[in-house]
Amino acid sequence: MTAPLSPSRPSDAAPSGDLPVVRLLPKANARAIRHGFPWVYANELVTDRRTRKLDPGTLALLEDNERQPMGLVSVNPNSKIIARVLDRDPAAVIDQRWFEGHIARALHLRARMFDAPFYRLIHAEADGLPGVVIDRFGDTCVVQPNAAWAEALLEPLCAALIAVTGVTHVLKNAAGRTRALEGLDDVNAVLAGSAPTGPVPVQMNGAIYLADLTGGQKTGIFYDQRPNHAFAASLSRGARVLDVFAHVGGFSLAALAAGAQSALAVDGSAPALELAQGGAEAAGLADRFQTRQGDAFDVLTDLRAEGAEFDVVICDPPAFAPARPALEAGLRAYERIARLAAPLVAENGILGLCSCSHAADLSQFRVASVRGIGRAGRKGVLLHTGFAGPDHPQLPQLAESGYLKSLFFRL
């Protein structure tokens, strides 16, 4: 197993009295933190010379401006999110046993919801592990430690994961966008066992998907869209389906499994489309499945010029507005996608539009989508609004945890 980084040995069971103390400024919203908000921003914390010298990932005791203890936090002086609340108990010890408790609670929830061990096991703050994402693929787990404290404590985290779930292989995926903001590297690693020698088959909604756990996007597959795949599939029996930004065929393969007449998957990544094709072949759906590689905006434009028409069109792009500075440009991109996709939808057909942007809330995304549909000369009725599946729980105090939105219109 790869040895973890150790910023200041923040963990191994150091008593709380040995930990540094960080303190909120008077203007900070201590009440929100006490009520469950998990982050402290850099402009809310006293950042004296001692605090600025703390190594990223250091554990510390958080106090309010009146020196009343609030809990145990991890500190990264180099991040806009300077502190993340790990435990409301100031005396908590962040060791393997602590991790085991959180993972066991998360596992208990997933075991109640899913018949097979293929799901998101840990969804960061909502499962009590800020910045940590763990997706499970049978006896393999892929860990994204997107915060410095988790990178520092990979060893007890990995040991706890194996002890609780019984998995034999644990991979580290370092491709998370927020790792750079935390000052972390982008080097993947095998933490336990071995990496798979090929794509891992995942069965969802009657389809078979091939997940590349070592070279694919994110952890290899997007579990969050599972219920939205199912809803789109329920409208696709006998339909001609267009799946744009298809990745490994999320919407198109589910639609074919539900009886779609045909499906065209569009993506800019040739390897992703090869995996989609492999999934279609594995499920016996290849005779009704086609792929087309290219820039989505260009392909949508070309399809219209070709006079193409589909009964169900789904667009599931990457985050156009991953952060607030990109919000306006991102909303324009969502509007453009809707404007280009709407003309391809047959009369009384279905248009599904998705956003995984943290910065664009549901209302803003809906307005951009409706505007794009209108500018394409179409009228739409909103049939359904979908979100991430229950293995991606939301922390009510943290709006960012409700990032995924899916809108389904009849045009």
Side-chain angles (χ1 to χ4, degrees):
M1 184 182 301
T2 304
L5 299 176
S6 180
S8 60
R9 298 307 296 164
S11 71
D12 288 311
S16 59
D18 292 345
L19 296 178
V21 175
V22 293
R23 188 168 298 114
L24 292 178
L25 290 166
K27 68 175 183 178
N29 192 345
R31 177 178 295 181
I33 296 171
R34 285 197 170 96
H35 289 176
F37 188 74
W39 297 344
V40 180
Y41 294 107
N43 63 357
E44 296 179 311
L45 199 73
V46 176
T47 50
D48 54 20
R49 183 166 53 185
R50 176 186 56 82
T51 300
R52 287 193 296 269
K53 285 185 176 180
L54 293 177
D55 292 318
T58 296
L59 302 189
L61 299 179
L62 177 67
E63 295 181 348
D64 64 18
N65 66 299
E66 296 180 350
R67 300 181 183 270
Q68 295 300 308
M70 300 184 66
L72 188 65
V73 298
S74 68
V75 180
N76 186 346
N78 303 322
S79 174
K80 179 181 178 181
I81 303 173
I82 195 171
R84 298 173 187 263
V85 179
L86 302 183
D87 204 298
R88 301 290 161 180
D89 180 4
V93 176
I94 312 300
D95 57 7
Q96 180 178 332
R97 183 177 178 182
W98 184 88
F99 280 112
E100 287 178 359
H102 284 74
I103 294 170
R105 283 191 291 274
L107 178 62
H108 177 70
L109 177 63
R110 274 68 177 182
R112 295 172 64 183
M113 297 188 292
F114 299 101
D115 294 330
F118 293 84
Y119 41 67
R120 173 148 295 181
L121 175 60
I122 295 292
H123 191 52
E125 281 78 359
D127 283 306
L129 298 180
V132 179
V133 167
I134 302 177
D135 282 350
R136 184 173 184 180
F137 301 86
D139 64 352
T140 300
C141 278
V142 180
V143 180
Q144 280 193 326
N146 294 326
W149 78 274
E151 181 81 6
L153 297 176
L154 268 179
E155 186 170 348
L157 170 57
C158 181
L161 184 59
I162 293 170
V164 172
T165 65
V167 299
T168 53
H169 310 286
V170 181
L171 311 180
K172 169 191 166 184
N173 181 291
R177 183 172 53 245
T178 58
R179 284 180 62 85
L181 301 177
E182 288 279 305
L184 302 173
D185 63 38
D186 59 355
V187 180
N188 296 336
V190 176
L191 303 180
S194 58
T197 57
V200 174
V202 177
Q203 295 189 31
M204 292 190 296
N205 295 316
I208 297 175
Y209 301 94
L210 299 184
D212 182 356
L213 305 191
T214 57
Q217 295 182 40
K218 302 290 184 176
T219 62
I221 206 166
F222 296 107
Y223 283 131
D224 53 0
Q225 285 281 26
R226 186 181 339 218
N228 299 314
H229 292 162
F231 181 79
S234 73
L235 302 174
S236 297
R237 182 176 297 277
R240 301 160 296 172
V241 176
L242 174 63
D243 181 7
V244 187
F245 304 99
H247 189 225
V248 298
F251 282 98
S252 46
L253 295 185
L256 289 174
Q261 173 185 320
S262 63
L264 173 62
V266 175
D267 201 272
S269 168
L273 290 178
E274 289 175 7
L275 291 170
Q277 184 68 43
E281 293 170 358
L285 306 171
D287 60 328
R288 293 180 282 140
F289 183 65
Q290 291 183 311
T291 65
R292 186 158 172 173
Q293 183 189 357
D295 175 82
F297 294 96
D298 293 340
V299 173
L300 288 171
T301 301
D302 292 343
L303 286 171
R304 185 179 184 184
E306 295 164 14
E309 185 178 79
F310 302 87
D311 304 298
V312 176
V313 176
I314 309 290
C315 298
D316 183 18
F320 287 148
R324 191 161 299 279
L327 178 59
E328 291 304 318
L331 292 174
R332 288 195 297 272
Y334 288 123
E335 178 184 329
R336 184 184 177 204
I337 282 289
R339 177 172 57 81
L340 293 175
L344 300 175
V345 180
E347 186 75 12
N348 293 316
I350 303 299
L351 175 61
L353 301 170
C354 307
S355 166
C356 59
S357 293
H358 294 273
D361 65 24
L362 176 60
S363 177
Q364 292 168 317
F365 174 56
R366 186 170 53 231
V367 167
S369 298
V370 171
R371 183 183 294 120
I373 292 170
R375 289 186 173 176
R378 302 298 300 272
K379 294 181 180 180
V381 174
L382 182 60
L383 297 179
H384 177 72
T385 300
F387 303 95
D391 53 343
H392 292 63
Q394 297 183 30
L395 186 66
Q397 299 87 346
L398 187 65
E400 288 84 348
S401 63
Y403 64 97
L404 182 63
K405 290 81 66 176
S406 295
L407 306 175
F408 292 88
F409 298 87
R410 186 193 68 181
L411 301 191

